[in-house]
């Protein structure tokens, strides 16, 4: 009789579904022993239950309200040149200035261009904040960091002054290496002598390839990268304006990360010729041949991927959870969970006084935890 009941139980489709889900859950959790013989799983516990760190970054930029008697496009272009930074029009009455200035410092610059500062708010626009968030997410993911969270902190006025990054399983030193650095990437073109002019920031780079040998068949190593359509047009215009297409040798292309040169070379004759007639989105930065060229290409790839933030940042706050404290929290949660399960079983047994009812209900509770 018992065998028949057990057979009927396991022939019920709901029981079969429960068993299948439990098996799939255990496979997903994947309990196994690591190389050191310690039991581990695929579970990601979050910042509170394992070693981890958080960093809050402050944007060194501001959104200002303005008025001007000049055409807005002309006003923005002139202001960008005088402030030596990108100035982006947010809407009809506001500009985003991607460099740290106080309101008092901005007033004379605006006045010189027939404009006035009407309002001032440290931070960046919502559009730029979304871009920075995506860049940081891509950067963290490319480094293989698991269970990372990136959240922008935006005020009621729509201006974002901070972004908070949480990374479980990462100590503070590593966290600062990943996101705490400024990581501002810039491309400039040599004009006269050692003088250079700004061309693009890293936000115009949409993708970066792994190091490879030149597609032209020269055997030189390098890194291919892709520009956005707007970035490609800007790059072509700058190359023509500053003479890099007609005299590449005297107008080198320079790449800087945090204002430090990481690459400098003239345009290839083929690229200089093609830029005379049309923009190109596909570029290849050659780093030389042999082992040295390959290593330089690897370093350049990291720098290209790391330097995409369109604005400077400072670390405004940070904190961490030690591995021992996270382990303590996890043990306390495990004990609390077991005690809760026992209490549920006790209440059910006190109410029904029937093991045939209590046992299945407790097993269902346990299966839900799994």
């Amino acid at each position: 009789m018992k065998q028949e009941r057990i057979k009927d139980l396991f022939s019920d489709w709901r029981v079969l579904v429960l068993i299948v889900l439990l098996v799939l859950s255990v496979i997903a959790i994947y309990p196994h022993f690591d190389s050191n013989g310690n039991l581990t799983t695929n579970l990601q516990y979050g910042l509170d239950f394992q070693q981890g760190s958080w960093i809050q970054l402050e944007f060194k930029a501001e959104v200002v309200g303005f008025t001007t008697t000049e055409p807005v496009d002309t006003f923005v272009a002139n202001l960008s040149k005088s402030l030596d930074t990108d100035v982006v029009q947010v809407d009809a009455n506001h500009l985003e200035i991607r460099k740290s200035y106080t309101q008092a410092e901005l007033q004379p610059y605006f006045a010189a261009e027939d404009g006035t500062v009407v309002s001032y708010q440290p931070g960046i626009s919502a559009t730029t904040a979304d871009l920075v968030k995506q860049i940081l997410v891509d950067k963290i993911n490319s480094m293989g960091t698991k269970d990372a969270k990136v959240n922008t902190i935006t005020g009621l006025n729509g201006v974002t002054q901070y972004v908070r990054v949480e990374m479980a399983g990462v100590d503070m030193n590593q966290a600062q290496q990943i996101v705490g650095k400024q990581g501002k990437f810039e491309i400039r073109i040599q004009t006269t002598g050692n003088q250079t002019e700004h061309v693009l920031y890293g936000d115009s780079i949409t993708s970066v390839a792994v190091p490879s040998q030149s597609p032209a068949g020269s055997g030189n190593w390098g890194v291919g990268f892709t520009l956005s359509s707007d970035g490609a047009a800007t790059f072509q215009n700058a190359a023509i304006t500053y003479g890099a297409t007609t005299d590449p040798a005297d107008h080198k292309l320079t790449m800087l990360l945090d204002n430090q040169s990481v690459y400098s070379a003239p345009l290839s004759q083929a690229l200089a010729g093609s830029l005379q007639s049309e923009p190109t989105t596909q570029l290849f930065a050659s780093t030389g041949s042999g082992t040295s060229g390959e290593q330089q290409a690897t370093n350049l790839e990291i720098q290209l991927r790391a330097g995409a933030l369109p604005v400077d940042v400072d670390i405004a706050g940070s904190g961490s959870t030690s591995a021992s404290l996270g382990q303590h929290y996890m043990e306390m949660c495990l004990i609390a969970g077991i005690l809760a399960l026992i209490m549920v079983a006790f209440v059910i047994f006190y109410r029904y006084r029937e093991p045939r009812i209590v046992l299945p209900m407790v097993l269902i509770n346990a299966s839900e935890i799994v």
Side-chain angles (χ1 to χ4, degrees):
M1 182 66 69
K2 288 184 179 180
Q3 290 180 347
E4 291 180 359
R5 288 181 178 179
I6 294 175
K7 184 178 180 181
D8 290 340
L9 179 65
F10 283 95
S11 63
D12 189 301
W13 68 270
R14 290 165 296 187
V15 175
L16 292 176
V17 169
L18 177 62
I19 293 173
V20 170
L21 291 176
L22 282 171
V23 171
L24 292 176
S25 297
V26 172
I27 293 173
I29 294 170
Y30 187 44
H32 62 283
F33 291 97
D34 59 21
S35 57
N36 296 322
N38 300 318
L39 182 64
T40 184
T41 68
N42 281 344
L43 293 176
Q44 297 178 17
Y45 297 105
L47 188 61
D48 293 331
F49 297 118
Q50 62 183 38
Q51 176 184 343
S53 305
W54 64 268
I55 293 179
Q56 187 161 299
L57 305 175
E58 180 180 11
F59 298 115
K60 309 306 290 181
E62 49 277 338
V63 175
V64 299
F66 75 100
T67 59
T68 181
T69 56
E70 294 291 317
V72 175
D73 290 345
T74 303
F75 175 72
V76 170
N78 292 339
L79 195 61
S80 177
K81 188 172 183 179
S82 62
L83 291 173
D84 190 29
T85 190
D86 278 353
V87 177
V88 179
Q89 187 173 1
V90 178
D91 55 39
N93 303 310
H94 292 86
L95 300 176
E96 176 185 270
I97 300 174
R98 294 179 173 179
K99 194 173 184 179
S100 181
Y101 286 99
T102 65
Q103 186 171 356
E105 289 172 337
L106 288 175
Q107 290 284 10
Y109 287 101
F110 274 67
E113 305 299 337
D114 296 324
T116 305
V117 177
V118 177
S119 63
Y120 176 92
Q121 179 64 46
I124 57 179
S125 66
T127 301
T128 304
D130 290 340
L131 174 62
V132 170
K133 179 177 180 178
Q134 187 57 55
I135 289 168
L136 287 173
V137 169
D138 292 343
K139 183 178 178 180
I140 292 168
N141 289 342
S142 70
M143 301 205 175
T145 303
K146 294 182 178 180
D147 199 21
K149 298 177 182 178
V150 180
N151 295 303
T152 53
I153 302 173
T154 304
L156 296 176
N157 57 4
V159 177
T160 302
Q161 190 172 0
Y162 302 99
V163 59
R164 180 183 171 98
V165 183
E166 298 180 0
M167 289 173 286
V170 176
D171 61 31
M172 183 55 66
N173 288 334
Q174 187 180 358
Q176 290 180 350
Q177 287 294 321
I178 294 174
V179 299
K181 287 188 174 181
Q182 177 176 314
K184 187 176 181 180
F185 190 86
E186 183 182 11
I187 297 177
R188 301 180 72 92
I189 284 183
Q190 181 183 1
T191 54
T192 304
N194 293 326
Q195 299 297 313
T196 61
E197 283 288 339
H198 165 77
V199 180
L200 297 170
Y201 285 116
D203 56 353
S204 294
I205 299 174
T206 58
S207 64
V208 180
V210 297
S212 62
Q213 291 182 297
S214 171
S218 63
N220 286 339
W221 283 91
V223 180
F225 58 98
T226 305
L227 297 178
S228 65
S229 56
D230 289 342
T234 301
F235 182 77
Q236 180 200 23
N237 182 62
I240 294 173
T241 301
Y242 300 121
T245 56
T246 55
D247 185 13
D250 291 330
H251 300 280
K252 292 181 179 180
L253 189 74
T254 301
M255 301 181 186
L256 300 101
L257 181 60
D258 296 343
N259 296 319
Q260 297 295 318
S261 177
V262 296
Y263 178 84
S264 182
L267 300 180
S268 68
Q269 290 294 336
L271 178 58
S274 66
L275 286 174
Q276 286 277 25
S277 56
E278 60 181 358
T280 178
T281 58
Q282 302 293 327
L283 298 177
F284 185 84
S286 179
T287 55
S289 60
T291 304
S292 175
E294 183 179 6
Q295 183 60 50
Q296 290 181 49
T298 300
N299 293 337
L300 181 59
E301 178 204 7
I302 295 171
Q303 291 150 354
L304 282 167
R305 292 185 186 277
L309 290 186
V311 295
D312 296 346
V313 294
D314 275 347
I315 297 178
S318 62
S320 61
T321 301
S322 67
S324 59
L325 190 59
Q327 182 65 31
H328 175 71
Y329 289 155
M330 194 181 302
E331 290 172 355
M332 292 300 99
C333 280
L334 181 62
I335 293 172
I338 294 173
L339 291 176
L341 191 61
I342 293 173
M343 282 301 298
V344 169
F346 175 78
V347 170
I348 294 173
F349 180 78
Y350 181 79
R351 171 65 179 82
Y352 294 102
R353 306 294 178 93
E354 178 57 61
R356 290 181 302 173
I357 297 176
V358 175
L359 185 59
M361 295 183 73
V362 172
L363 289 176
I364 291 296
N365 285 339
S367 71
E368 289 173 347
I369 294 173
V370 176

